[in-house]
Amino acid sequence: VAEQLIRKALHPYADDLVVATKAGLTRQGPDVWTPGGRPADLRQQAELSLRNHGVERIDQMQRPRVAPP
């Protein structure tokens, strides 16, 4: 949702704007986040971020530290 709000507020992005986002957690419901760090999960999240931002490239993709269970 945050990426869609950012796009609505700032798109089209200025040429010198750096788009950064994060991946590695999936939201299962209100206040429920599940680690999803497999390569396929990260790719899916990156592709979703591209669509949400309406860009062809994400300048910086961060993966939050996920504590072991």
Side-chain angles (χ1 to χ4, degrees):
V1 173
E3 292 175 337
Q4 294 167 355
L5 291 173
I6 290 168
R7 179 181 180 174
K8 186 175 181 179
L10 299 176
H11 201 270
Y13 302 120
D15 291 338
D16 60 346
L17 183 73
V18 174
V19 176
T21 192
K22 59 185 173 185
L25 296 173
T26 59
R27 187 173 183 179
Q28 305 302 315
D31 299 321
V32 180
W33 294 89
T34 305
R38 296 179 316 171
D41 295 333
L42 297 173
R43 177 181 291 276
Q44 181 182 30
Q45 292 175 30
E47 291 173 357
L48 183 59
S49 289
L50 290 169
R51 283 197 305 271
N52 285 339
H53 281 290
V55 296
E56 295 181 13
R57 181 187 81 225
I58 299 291
D59 299 310
Q60 181 178 2
M61 180 69 78
Q62 303 173 64
R63 182 167 187 261
R65 181 172 176 253
V66 178

